[in-house]
Amino acid sequence: MSTSTQKTVAIFGATGGTGLASLKLALKAGHKVNVLARTPSKLSDLSSQYPNLNVIKGDIRDIASMKSTLTLNNRVVDIVISAIGMVIERVGLGLSSRDPTICEEGTKAILSALSQLEAEKTVLVPAGGPEFVLLSTTGISDKGRDIPLAMMPMYHWMLSVPHKDKKKMEETMIHGEGRTRKWVMIRPSFLWDGESKGLGKIRISTETPGASPEKKDDGDVAVGYVIHREDVGLWIVEECIKGDASKWHGKMVTLTY
């Protein structure tokens, strides 16, 4: 692909799930990608296949590794994708985690590392700073039901711990450290493994923080049961890396079938 359309991307949470799906598609499209991984060997097959992949060993609590992931060729990347998710385990009748604030704290760590890079002025920064794409979830909207009634017990009971963390992550971008950044918040319905169905099968609705409860940017809310991780990754790459993400800035974007 031509240099003019090539983007530089940093992905956090890329060793599995939607992050991995986004990574594979971004690499295939020829974009240069940095990935932070505690276990780089998980990406060894991709590293050997794609010279445009750079894997940095570390985690979100290592500020030096975070800064390295956010920079490529002495320049802050164009796009930051956070697909950070918690490892959940069954506790009684519900689900919990040994790291119940990983999404909130991970997002704050990314923003802090970026702010330090900007303050140090040792690397170039894209005009307006990088664009952020963050993976959240349905079931936490303040503006009405965006999940089927049948899924409400699971979302509000069994998944209360991870969803509380996602909500805190959203608040960090809307009202906290990320409020001045350019961001897109992806709210997929329940994530499922399976082959891509294609962009044409994805239903989309958007929500703008601060709008009246009755206002939905695209009319009715796209309520659905599941969506494949491959298609969420496809949408992120096509709309937010290859495409012009500005039309999605500052919006919660629901994706479902």
Side-chain angles (χ1 to χ4, degrees):
M1 84 188 300
S2 66
T3 303
S4 61
T5 59
Q6 189 180 74
K7 302 286 182 65
T8 55
V9 186
I11 305 182
F12 298 88
T15 56
T18 303
L20 182 58
S22 301
L23 171 62
K24 290 178 178 178
L25 290 168
L27 291 172
K28 187 176 181 180
H31 303 289
K32 294 183 178 180
V33 186
N34 280 353
V35 168
L36 181 69
R38 283 178 292 183
T39 311
S41 59
K42 290 183 177 181
L43 298 172
S44 57
D45 288 346
L46 287 177
S47 295
S48 62
Q49 184 178 358
Y50 292 101
N52 48 326
L53 171 61
N54 181 36
V55 182
I56 295 93
K57 180 177 174 58
D59 61 36
I60 60 169
R61 292 170 177 83
D62 178 2
I63 192 66
S65 297
M66 297 289 284
K67 289 180 179 179
S68 294
T69 308
L70 289 169
T71 57
L72 202 156
N73 295 332
N74 204 42
R75 181 179 182 273
V76 171
V77 296
D78 300 308
I79 299 164
V80 178
I81 298 174
S82 177
I84 297 171
M86 68 173 60
V87 177
I88 56 177
E89 55 190 4
R90 184 173 297 278
V91 177
L93 297 176
L95 298 173
S96 189
S97 172
R98 297 179 183 180
D99 200 349
T101 59
I102 184 66
C103 297
E104 177 191 7
E105 295 303 322
T107 301
K108 288 181 176 179
I110 296 169
L111 292 166
S112 177
L114 176 59
S115 294
Q116 289 188 35
L117 286 169
E118 291 170 334
E120 292 164 359
K121 298 181 179 180
T122 56
V123 296
L124 298 175
V125 180
E131 297 178 319
F132 282 79
V133 181
L134 302 101
L135 191 68
S136 188
T137 180
T138 50
I140 60 173
S141 173
D142 292 327
K143 299 186 176 181
R145 181 172 61 84
D146 59 358
I147 56 174
L149 286 170
M151 299 186 77
M152 290 183 70
M154 179 181 70
Y155 269 58
H156 298 307
W157 178 27
M158 293 184 68
L159 297 176
S160 62
V161 172
H163 284 187
K164 180 181 179 180
D165 187 28
K166 290 292 188 183
K167 187 66 174 177
K168 290 289 188 180
M169 178 194 73
E170 290 190 354
E171 291 172 356
T172 294
M173 297 304 298
I174 298 169
H175 304 297
E177 295 89 329
R179 64 188 180 278
T180 61
R181 303 292 182 179
K182 297 177 291 186
W183 56 263
V184 181
M185 194 71 65
I186 311 298
R187 285 177 169 173
S189 53
F190 194 77
L191 291 167
W192 204 257
D193 289 329
E195 294 184 1
S196 170
K197 295 184 178 183
L199 292 178
K201 296 295 184 180
I202 301 176
R203 292 189 295 121
I204 302 169
S205 63
T206 62
E207 176 182 311
T208 302
S212 66
E214 297 79 17
K215 177 178 172 54
K216 294 292 181 181
D217 296 343
D218 293 341
D220 294 336
V221 184
V223 177
Y225 283 90
V226 301
I227 188 168
H228 292 169
R229 293 176 173 88
E230 293 293 329
D231 278 327
V232 178
L234 176 64
W235 192 91
I236 289 172
V237 171
E238 292 296 323
E239 291 290 329
C240 299
I241 300 180
K242 295 170 68 175
D244 178 10
S246 63
K247 61 180 175 292
W248 307 108
H249 286 172
K251 296 182 185 294
M252 315 297 196
V253 182
T254 296
L255 303 178
T256 191
Y257 292 141

